Amino acid sequence: MTVPLDLDFFRRFLDRATRVVVAEARHLTDLDAAIGDADHGANLKRGFTSAAEAVAAEPPATPGALLTAVGAHLTNTVGGAAGPLYGTVLRRMGKVLGEDAVVAPETLGRALAAAVASVRRLGDSAPGDKTMVDALQPAADAYAEALEGGEVTTALEAAARAARAGAEATVPMRARRGRASYLGERSVGHQDPGATSSALLVTALFEATDPELCAVAPEGEAAQENAPVSERPAGRVGVVLVSHSKAVAESTAALAKALFGAGDPAPVAPAGGLPDGGVGTSAELVRRAVARVDEGAGAVVLCDMGSAVLTVKELLDAGELGDTRIADAPFVEGAVAAVVTASAGGDLAAVLAATDDARTYRKL
Ligand code: ADP
Ligand code: MG
């Protein structure tokens, strides 16, 4: 028997997706630890839990409104690349579903195709890049194919199977987008965390066709509920922010720590302006800041320009800064990337790679 794609169906999807994401948070974070920054499971757990609470408090009236509301919450609360990407998936689906109280299977197909297109556009990504697109694109394609002459449950089952196969197929791929791309060849041999979570979400959409199955807890839920989702190694990379202005260095440090979110950020020290508070660069303040952030794992320095760069390079040349590297990156974006990656336990190479990405991140 085919279930109607009504508000109850999409509510079951959200509930199932949230429970599965919570149950699998540790696994997703472990996958992200291998080729990213060990936060994917924690990110999604935070986002889905908050979205589920929000729509329970203010229940949307149609399937489209429900998905749109969830998408907006994910963008605001997930943090990391997956936030805006899954945000666009759900918002785009919500838009295609429109005001319909009961969604036609063909409309769901158009929504899935539009959602994948929006991720590809936002992430500038394509199949083969080792991202969530490698699970989402085959899912949308399989759904469309199976729906021709078939019914919606079969089509969703085909989509879920294709998404899981797509996620598994990311293992031998080399990442070309996202943090994993910093690793180059070293990203080969690991399953992409975003493709893995996408497969879970498409599977949840299929499982929503079965109210009895949805009444039972997903596998692993009890064991994971209270498990911490990420553990940080001791001895993190320090970050030093060298600006001509004391205020700029200090506020950028505060911004980077705030964007890292809850938890214990890596050591960050501003070295802005001159010792008397004037505008300029002080070698003495830079030396002290590097010493302050030293936990034995090295330090990365972000500079604004001119004398800030020259002073740091000169100190490095003179061997006065120990195991310290200078990042070739814009000050604010580089600082945020460095603090987030260092806080998650990234080593010196990973922190530098994150700052490198900040340099190449296009805004148009
Ligand atoms: P972050 O990488 O910022 O820590 P998450 O860990 O939450 O964000 O999500 C990582 C996942 O996001 C990756 O495994 C990948 O599937 C997906 N992703 C990252 N960048 C892109 C992109 N440009 N296009 C499509 N998917 C991407
Ligand atoms: Mg991550």
Side-chain angles (χ1 to χ4, degrees):
M1 205 198 76
T2 304
V3 294
L5 302 177
D6 55 7
L7 189 55
D8 278 347
F9 168 83
F10 287 97
R11 280 214 199 99
R12 281 198 300 279
F13 159 64
L14 176 61
D15 178 58
R16 190 72 184 170
T18 305
R19 293 177 75 169
V20 168
V21 158
V22 170
E24 292 292 321
R26 162 68 76 100
H27 177 224
L28 293 171
T29 284
D30 285 349
L31 291 175
D32 196 30
I35 57 170
D37 57 353
D39 64 358
H40 189 59
N43 286 348
L44 290 189
K45 180 175 169 177
R46 179 170 58 245
F48 273 89
T49 310
S50 139
E53 280 167 11
V55 300
E58 247 179 85
T62 60
L66 176 72
L67 295 190
T68 304
V70 172
H73 270 279
L74 294 183
T75 300
N76 290 335
T77 55
V78 167
L85 292 167
Y86 280 137
T88 199
V89 164
L90 287 147
R91 273 192 308 102
R92 182 56 54 146
M93 288 181 74
K95 198 168 175 190
V96 175
L97 302 193
E99 307 280 303
D100 297 354
V102 180
V103 175
E106 292 72 24
T107 309
L108 181 59
R110 281 195 290 115
L112 289 170
V116 179
S118 68
V119 169
R120 293 180 61 161
R121 206 164 36 241
L122 181 62
D124 189 24
S125 43
D129 286 348
K130 197 181 183 98
T131 69
M132 59 175 70
V133 171
D134 287 303
L136 295 175
Q137 183 74 64
D141 294 346
Y143 179 90
E145 197 183 323
L147 196 62
E148 286 186 27
E151 46 94 48
V152 69
T153 309
T154 322
L156 283 172
E157 189 173 14
R161 209 178 312 115
R164 288 193 294 268
E168 280 163 26
T170 62
V171 173
M173 290 177 188
R174 178 186 167 144
R176 285 197 288 256
R177 289 290 177 274
R179 284 181 200 280
S181 65
Y182 313 151
L183 296 180
E185 272 304 314
R186 281 185 292 140
S187 65
V188 171
H190 302 277
Q191 187 162 319
D192 179 62
T196 309
S197 58
S198 287
L200 294 174
L201 296 176
V202 178
T203 302
L205 196 60
F206 163 57
E207 289 173 343
T209 60
D210 186 344
E212 276 174 33
L213 184 148
C214 287
V216 179
E219 230 171 90
E221 182 177 81
Q224 290 303 327
E225 214 129 65
N226 298 313
V229 290
S230 78
E231 282 159 18
R232 291 191 190 92
R236 289 175 294 177
V237 173
V239 180
V240 172
L241 304 177
V242 183
S243 167
H244 282 62
S245 152
K246 183 171 190 276
V248 168
E250 286 176 356
S251 55
T252 304
L255 171 67
K257 284 199 247 180
L259 289 180
F260 169 62
D264 176 27
V268 186
L274 300 170
D276 66 3
V279 169
T281 312
S282 154
E284 185 48 35
L285 289 185
V286 173
R287 251 188 241 107
R288 273 195 245 151
V290 168
R292 234 178 23 248
V293 301
D294 181 20
E295 284 190 0
V300 168
V301 183
L302 276 300
C303 317
D304 57 7
M305 65 232 153
S307 65
V309 180
L310 297 177
T311 304
V312 174
K313 278 190 174 167
E314 177 54 21
L315 290 172
L316 282 172
D317 243 20
E320 289 193 42
L321 300 182
D323 197 7
T324 295
R325 309 289 161 79
I326 185 165
D328 184 13
F331 192 65
V332 175
E333 291 88 338
V336 171
V339 169
V340 169
T341 307
S343 301
D347 63 9
L348 208 47
V351 175
L352 274 177
T355 61
D356 227 36
D357 185 57
R359 173 160 53 87
T360 56
Y361 186 73
R362 297 196 336 248
K363 293 171 189 175
L364 277 181

